[in-house]
Amino acid sequence: MNLYISRNDTSAIPAKAQKQITSYITQSVVNAIEEEVKKSNIIIVSNESNIYRDACIARTYQVKIQLNEAKIKLGSTPLSKALFILNLARASSDIEREKIRVFRECKKALSKKSIEDIELIIKEEVQNSEQLIEELRDDIKITKEEIINSISISKDDKRVVFVDVDYKDDLNYLLNKPGFHIFNGERGTGKSELFKRLFEQSCLNINYPIYMSALKLLTKQLIDDEDVREYHNAYANTSAQGVLGVMLKLMLDDKYDNMRNKSKSLFLDEIEDLEDLSTSNIVGNGTLSDRALLQERLDKQIINSESVFIADEFANENTLEWLHELAENNNKTIYVYNQKSQFKKPVVKVIAYATNVELMRQSLINNEKIAGFIDAQHSNKKSKYDADIIAINGIPKKDPKDPKEEQKYIAEYAQIDAAFMQSEQAKNMSDFSEVAKSVQAVFYNTAAKNGLSVLDSDYKKVSLLANGTSAPNDLTQADNRFRLREEILLSFNRVERKLCTNPTSILIDMINKEFSDDITEEKLVKMMNNVYLKRIANRIAYKNKMRENYEFTVITIYEHLGHEIEFYCNDEENQNGIKNLKAGQKEEVIVRDRETIAAEKIDETKAKNIIRMGAHANNDNKHKLRAFKLRKLYRVSEVNQELLDFDKTGNSTIKALLLAESNESLTIDMQFKKLFIKRLIDTVKLYDEEYSFNSDDAAEFHDFLVNAELNIGIHKRKVIDVFNSHFENTIISYTNKMSTLTSILEKEFNIEVVPAKKKDRQRAKTANLTTETKMWLNHIRSESSCLLAA
């Protein structure tokens, strides 16, 4: 039965209908949802004077609304709802508030429609639309200017000096020109080749140059085995793989003090990637002190070098501020050199993710060559990266002669990921085109860095499957690995995410993740004021900021680079693509489980080495590491399918319960998480099978979740921040508090919640551990008193 909520007992409400007459419309709607009245059965009956306010309530809580007897449809999309409610706003403050919402939704919609299509929608939905369209254009223009300024150096920037040169010319004279030389040309303009020439000349000049690049392949070409500076030893001895290992060894190992002091020339190729790597937790032992030390020594190396050469397509504002501070404090000049690419700018076709998968698959069937960049998660447990490749190129086909035959691939392909980049093949490869030429498809991810370029006209299309793990400016550089591509197929897969953009909060979070509660207040204050740690946090905040309005930012950068944008939609292709994606995900799990069971056993020492070396990106090592962690967590000697099947759903439950019981020394971050889990367990009395929790319990927990603060020694943290740091599957409801608690139990901890008998005349539920979970929990407890931390 429908529930009508109104301020007046109007004839618009059917005589026999359930109704509530109240001045507190919002509270009545919230109460109805709490009582599990279906939202589709809740109807607000409004009038002329209150229609705007009531429509906002209906939009917020996703319930129905009518104006007197007339039923109202707010719209089927966020944009259409925003436009409809804008028409209802009368007060100037309400109109301005709704305009902001409309502009935000328009920018989101621009990842699916052209601005002309959006303007047509506005003309159909809004009265006197000309002024709104004009204001929208101004808002989009301002946002685009902010984006472009954040990823490029303006000609009006007084902090730098612009110089016209041709990158192919002999520029060796720059080695004798002190200062910072930024080569800001597009991909394909020859920056890396120029740096190679300058580096070789610097070696001849006995300038003892240091060369840092985001890719070990290029660096290895520049490092001769007989080089007296022993770069090869730095590479061989470091625990980190690839060029990062070289950089860390050269910068952090005291053995290379003399080499660093001698160096007069410094080359920083792909500086944005280098900055990201140098601020990551792979530095040294992953500690904040190691990361701060690296930043300090990079500063010193830049300052002490007579000439510093920097290259990147997008030398951004964050980087320029850092370099300008160093230049100004040391009386040096920043020179900027720009050069346009001679390659044709292909059309960027924006399409649905599943459609992109289907079009790639059809291209393979038609014997065309394809290149696909996938920035999806590539984990040791379940990889969307691998699943997408299977969806495109590995849907199983049964051999009629042997039904048990494993899947048959449609085409030969190369997979360019971290495992490939660390392989002997990559180390010895001089031209990546050789690999691309020998296969029909190339799948690559963010591990494919500068130096990888293909001049093969058979690769006419490059597909970008964006999952938001690449920064927008990194994503827009991915297609240019294939220089002669004629079309770019761009797709987004639920990339919207809320990332912290407050540097102080980020620094606090990093400290919480490393230290336990025995950290002194004096040390905490010292770390919070450390200039290098603040820079690291500021860098992370900047990168997070770049991911806001992700789709709009990516498309804006492509427009800035001179690409034409088109929008493409085909329902049949999209449906076929969805089927392929589901099949790929299913097959990926089967293959991964089989290889984990067959993986070689390793001990704790080897596991730590794999983690430290970053070699877990190698498929064999991923399976070894996964099997090791499973054996360690569940206290078993062998991994079998039964354990893997349980782990898929029971892992989060087991780890959470063990963390709640742990008496081991934990980081501040883990201690906060432990307190949260203990409160959750106490709320639902998880180990008491007779206990049922009701709406009052849920409301009390909800208040704790959104309003309370946790204390560990001198450290304080809001509960909601602890929750958001560790759990991402639950959307907190501020209307249905029982739903929030249930969702946390089910989605975050895989704990079954079932209806129970009413408790104190209220709806009640019970949280149950499955029989399997109890069995494994008891087994782990009996095997060791030293419990693992989650």
PDB file of all heavy atoms in Angstrom, residues 48 120 149 193 200 247 461 468 489 543 555 568 598 616 650 657 673 694 699 708:
ATOM      1  N   GLU A  48       1.870  24.347  -4.320  1.00  0.00           N
ATOM      2  CA  GLU A  48       2.629  25.338  -5.079  1.00  0.00           C
ATOM      3  C   GLU A  48       3.719  26.004  -4.242  1.00  0.00           C
ATOM      4  O   GLU A  48       4.815  26.254  -4.724  1.00  0.00           O
ATOM      5  CB  GLU A  48       1.681  26.411  -5.630  1.00  0.00           C
ATOM      6  CG  GLU A  48       0.762  25.932  -6.738  1.00  0.00           C
ATOM      7  CD  GLU A  48       1.505  25.696  -8.055  1.00  0.00           C
ATOM      8  OE1 GLU A  48       2.686  26.098  -8.158  1.00  0.00           O
ATOM      9  OE2 GLU A  48       0.921  25.095  -8.970  1.00  0.00           O
ATOM     10  N   LEU A 120      20.890  20.830 -26.197  1.00  0.00           N
ATOM     11  CA  LEU A 120      19.542  20.502 -26.675  1.00  0.00           C
ATOM     12  C   LEU A 120      18.656  20.023 -25.530  1.00  0.00           C
ATOM     13  O   LEU A 120      17.463  20.387 -25.446  1.00  0.00           O
ATOM     14  CB  LEU A 120      19.613  19.429 -27.761  1.00  0.00           C
ATOM     15  CG  LEU A 120      20.080  19.872 -29.148  1.00  0.00           C
ATOM     16  CD1 LEU A 120      20.211  18.660 -30.064  1.00  0.00           C
ATOM     17  CD2 LEU A 120      19.087  20.878 -29.748  1.00  0.00           C
ATOM     18  N   ASN A 149      45.912  24.426 -17.261  1.00  0.00           N
ATOM     19  CA  ASN A 149      46.981  25.077 -16.499  1.00  0.00           C
ATOM     20  C   ASN A 149      47.678  24.098 -15.565  1.00  0.00           C
ATOM     21  O   ASN A 149      48.854  24.272 -15.220  1.00  0.00           O
ATOM     22  CB  ASN A 149      46.414  26.244 -15.677  1.00  0.00           C
ATOM     23  CG  ASN A 149      46.007  27.413 -16.545  1.00  0.00           C
ATOM     24  OD1 ASN A 149      46.489  27.559 -17.674  1.00  0.00           O
ATOM     25  ND2 ASN A 149      45.108  28.250 -16.057  1.00  0.00           N
ATOM     26  N   GLU A 193      65.263  10.356 -27.370  1.00  0.00           N
ATOM     27  CA  GLU A 193      66.436  10.261 -28.242  1.00  0.00           C
ATOM     28  C   GLU A 193      67.389  11.422 -27.994  1.00  0.00           C
ATOM     29  O   GLU A 193      68.609  11.257 -27.983  1.00  0.00           O
ATOM     30  CB  GLU A 193      65.995  10.228 -29.716  1.00  0.00           C
ATOM     31  CG  GLU A 193      65.400   8.909 -30.163  1.00  0.00           C
ATOM     32  CD  GLU A 193      66.385   7.757 -30.003  1.00  0.00           C
ATOM     33  OE1 GLU A 193      67.565   7.927 -30.388  1.00  0.00           O
ATOM     34  OE2 GLU A 193      65.987   6.710 -29.465  1.00  0.00           O
ATOM     35  N   GLU A 200      75.185  10.731 -23.723  1.00  0.00           N
ATOM     36  CA  GLU A 200      76.416  10.167 -24.267  1.00  0.00           C
ATOM     37  C   GLU A 200      77.509  11.229 -24.369  1.00  0.00           C
ATOM     38  O   GLU A 200      78.680  10.979 -24.065  1.00  0.00           O
ATOM     39  CB  GLU A 200      76.140   9.530 -25.624  1.00  0.00           C
ATOM     40  CG  GLU A 200      75.314   8.248 -25.522  1.00  0.00           C
ATOM     41  CD  GLU A 200      74.860   7.720 -26.869  1.00  0.00           C
ATOM     42  OE1 GLU A 200      74.928   8.485 -27.849  1.00  0.00           O
ATOM     43  OE2 GLU A 200      74.443   6.556 -26.941  1.00  0.00           O
ATOM     44  N   MET A 247      67.768   4.066  -9.334  1.00  0.00           N
ATOM     45  CA  MET A 247      67.648   5.388  -8.731  1.00  0.00           C
ATOM     46  C   MET A 247      67.799   5.309  -7.213  1.00  0.00           C
ATOM     47  O   MET A 247      68.523   6.090  -6.596  1.00  0.00           O
ATOM     48  CB  MET A 247      66.300   6.020  -9.085  1.00  0.00           C
ATOM     49  CG  MET A 247      66.114   7.406  -8.482  1.00  0.00           C
ATOM     50  SD  MET A 247      64.593   8.212  -9.016  1.00  0.00           S
ATOM     51  CE  MET A 247      63.397   7.276  -8.077  1.00  0.00           C
ATOM     52  N   LYS A 461      43.880   0.979 -34.717  1.00  0.00           N
ATOM     53  CA  LYS A 461      43.035   1.361 -33.590  1.00  0.00           C
ATOM     54  C   LYS A 461      43.740   1.032 -32.278  1.00  0.00           C
ATOM     55  O   LYS A 461      44.366  -0.016 -32.149  1.00  0.00           O
ATOM     56  CB  LYS A 461      41.698   0.614 -33.632  1.00  0.00           C
ATOM     57  CG  LYS A 461      40.794   0.995 -34.794  1.00  0.00           C
ATOM     58  CD  LYS A 461      39.498   0.199 -34.722  1.00  0.00           C
ATOM     59  CE  LYS A 461      38.593   0.517 -35.913  1.00  0.00           C
ATOM     60  NZ  LYS A 461      37.342  -0.288 -35.883  1.00  0.00           N
ATOM     61  N   GLY A 468      40.394   4.247 -14.018  1.00  0.00           N
ATOM     62  CA  GLY A 468      40.687   5.322 -13.081  1.00  0.00           C
ATOM     63  C   GLY A 468      41.930   5.135 -12.253  1.00  0.00           C
ATOM     64  O   GLY A 468      42.221   5.949 -11.386  1.00  0.00           O
ATOM     65  N   LEU A 489      39.745   4.390 -29.291  1.00  0.00           N
ATOM     66  CA  LEU A 489      38.465   4.023 -28.680  1.00  0.00           C
ATOM     67  C   LEU A 489      38.614   4.160 -27.168  1.00  0.00           C
ATOM     68  O   LEU A 489      39.366   3.416 -26.537  1.00  0.00           O
ATOM     69  CB  LEU A 489      38.079   2.593 -29.053  1.00  0.00           C
ATOM     70  CG  LEU A 489      38.007   2.278 -30.548  1.00  0.00           C
ATOM     71  CD1 LEU A 489      37.602   0.826 -30.771  1.00  0.00           C
ATOM     72  CD2 LEU A 489      37.031   3.215 -31.250  1.00  0.00           C
ATOM     73  N   LYS A 543      47.852  14.631  -7.117  1.00  0.00           N
ATOM     74  CA  LYS A 543      47.452  13.548  -8.013  1.00  0.00           C
ATOM     75  C   LYS A 543      45.994  13.161  -7.766  1.00  0.00           C
ATOM     76  O   LYS A 543      45.257  12.849  -8.707  1.00  0.00           O
ATOM     77  CB  LYS A 543      48.366  12.334  -7.813  1.00  0.00           C
ATOM     78  CG  LYS A 543      49.816  12.590  -8.159  1.00  0.00           C
ATOM     79  CD  LYS A 543      50.040  12.807  -9.637  1.00  0.00           C
ATOM     80  CE  LYS A 543      49.988  11.527 -10.413  1.00  0.00           C
ATOM     81  NZ  LYS A 543      50.356  11.684 -11.822  1.00  0.00           N
ATOM     82  N   ILE A 555      38.943  13.920 -21.346  1.00  0.00           N
ATOM     83  CA  ILE A 555      38.469  14.422 -22.642  1.00  0.00           C
ATOM     84  C   ILE A 555      38.999  15.834 -22.900  1.00  0.00           C
ATOM     85  O   ILE A 555      39.376  16.179 -24.027  1.00  0.00           O
ATOM     86  CB  ILE A 555      36.926  14.382 -22.690  1.00  0.00           C
ATOM     87  CG1 ILE A 555      36.464  12.919 -22.705  1.00  0.00           C
ATOM     88  CG2 ILE A 555      36.396  15.114 -23.916  1.00  0.00           C
ATOM     89  CD1 ILE A 555      34.967  12.740 -22.582  1.00  0.00           C
ATOM     90  N   TYR A 568      29.973   7.373 -29.561  1.00  0.00           N
ATOM     91  CA  TYR A 568      29.456   6.223 -30.298  1.00  0.00           C
ATOM     92  C   TYR A 568      28.674   5.321 -29.356  1.00  0.00           C
ATOM     93  O   TYR A 568      29.089   5.062 -28.227  1.00  0.00           O
ATOM     94  CB  TYR A 568      30.626   5.447 -30.919  1.00  0.00           C
ATOM     95  CG  TYR A 568      30.234   4.162 -31.607  1.00  0.00           C
ATOM     96  CD1 TYR A 568      29.753   4.163 -32.919  1.00  0.00           C
ATOM     97  CD2 TYR A 568      30.360   2.936 -30.952  1.00  0.00           C
ATOM     98  CE1 TYR A 568      29.400   2.979 -33.550  1.00  0.00           C
ATOM     99  CE2 TYR A 568      30.016   1.747 -31.579  1.00  0.00           C
ATOM    100  CZ  TYR A 568      29.537   1.781 -32.887  1.00  0.00           C
ATOM    101  OH  TYR A 568      29.181   0.612 -33.504  1.00  0.00           O
ATOM    102  N   ALA A 598      48.914 -25.146  -8.042  1.00  0.00           N
ATOM    103  CA  ALA A 598      50.118 -25.795  -8.580  1.00  0.00           C
ATOM    104  C   ALA A 598      51.403 -25.019  -8.278  1.00  0.00           C
ATOM    105  O   ALA A 598      52.494 -25.482  -8.616  1.00  0.00           O
ATOM    106  CB  ALA A 598      49.972 -25.958 -10.095  1.00  0.00           C
ATOM    107  N   HIS A 616      56.186  -9.582  -7.442  1.00  0.00           N
ATOM    108  CA  HIS A 616      54.868 -10.218  -7.376  1.00  0.00           C
ATOM    109  C   HIS A 616      54.056  -9.904  -8.630  1.00  0.00           C
ATOM    110  O   HIS A 616      53.031 -10.511  -8.866  1.00  0.00           O
ATOM    111  CB  HIS A 616      54.124  -9.768  -6.118  1.00  0.00           C
ATOM    112  CG  HIS A 616      53.979  -8.291  -6.001  1.00  0.00           C
ATOM    113  ND1 HIS A 616      54.996  -7.498  -5.541  1.00  0.00           N
ATOM    114  CD2 HIS A 616      52.956  -7.467  -6.301  1.00  0.00           C
ATOM    115  CE1 HIS A 616      54.594  -6.238  -5.555  1.00  0.00           C
ATOM    116  NE2 HIS A 616      53.379  -6.191  -6.009  1.00  0.00           N
ATOM    117  N   GLY A 650      35.238 -15.809   2.609  1.00  0.00           N
ATOM    118  CA  GLY A 650      35.503 -15.822   4.043  1.00  0.00           C
ATOM    119  C   GLY A 650      36.751 -15.091   4.483  1.00  0.00           C
ATOM    120  O   GLY A 650      36.967 -14.888   5.686  1.00  0.00           O
ATOM    121  N   LEU A 657      38.164 -10.872  12.296  1.00  0.00           N
ATOM    122  CA  LEU A 657      38.016 -11.473  13.620  1.00  0.00           C
ATOM    123  C   LEU A 657      39.373 -11.724  14.273  1.00  0.00           C
ATOM    124  O   LEU A 657      39.535 -11.536  15.488  1.00  0.00           O
ATOM    125  CB  LEU A 657      37.213 -12.775  13.524  1.00  0.00           C
ATOM    126  CG  LEU A 657      35.772 -12.618  12.995  1.00  0.00           C
ATOM    127  CD1 LEU A 657      35.083 -13.971  12.935  1.00  0.00           C
ATOM    128  CD2 LEU A 657      34.973 -11.655  13.851  1.00  0.00           C
ATOM    129  N   LYS A 673      41.582   0.434  13.157  1.00  0.00           N
ATOM    130  CA  LYS A 673      40.720  -0.536  12.490  1.00  0.00           C
ATOM    131  C   LYS A 673      40.254  -1.601  13.480  1.00  0.00           C
ATOM    132  O   LYS A 673      39.077  -2.010  13.468  1.00  0.00           O
ATOM    133  CB  LYS A 673      41.472  -1.194  11.328  1.00  0.00           C
ATOM    134  CG  LYS A 673      40.627  -2.160  10.508  1.00  0.00           C
ATOM    135  CD  LYS A 673      41.431  -2.744   9.355  1.00  0.00           C
ATOM    136  CE  LYS A 673      40.575  -3.718   8.528  1.00  0.00           C
ATOM    137  NZ  LYS A 673      41.356  -4.335   7.433  1.00  0.00           N
ATOM    138  N   ASN A 694      18.362  -4.600  17.005  1.00  0.00           N
ATOM    139  CA  ASN A 694      17.192  -3.928  16.440  1.00  0.00           C
ATOM    140  C   ASN A 694      17.550  -2.541  15.917  1.00  0.00           C
ATOM    141  O   ASN A 694      18.727  -2.171  15.849  1.00  0.00           O
ATOM    142  CB  ASN A 694      16.063  -3.858  17.468  1.00  0.00           C
ATOM    143  CG  ASN A 694      16.477  -3.050  18.698  1.00  0.00           C
ATOM    144  OD1 ASN A 694      17.487  -2.348  18.688  1.00  0.00           O
ATOM    145  ND2 ASN A 694      15.694  -3.149  19.755  1.00  0.00           N
ATOM    146  N   ALA A 699      20.825   2.406  15.182  1.00  0.00           N
ATOM    147  CA  ALA A 699      20.911   3.865  15.289  1.00  0.00           C
ATOM    148  C   ALA A 699      22.094   4.280  16.162  1.00  0.00           C
ATOM    149  O   ALA A 699      22.809   5.245  15.857  1.00  0.00           O
ATOM    150  CB  ALA A 699      19.610   4.411  15.863  1.00  0.00           C
ATOM    151  N   ALA A 708      31.350   9.816  16.193  1.00  0.00           N
ATOM    152  CA  ALA A 708      32.293   9.523  17.273  1.00  0.00           C
ATOM    153  C   ALA A 708      33.745   9.673  16.830  1.00  0.00           C
ATOM    154  O   ALA A 708      34.058   9.806  15.645  1.00  0.00           O
ATOM    155  CB  ALA A 708      32.044   8.122  17.816  1.00  0.00           C
TER     156      ALA A 708
END
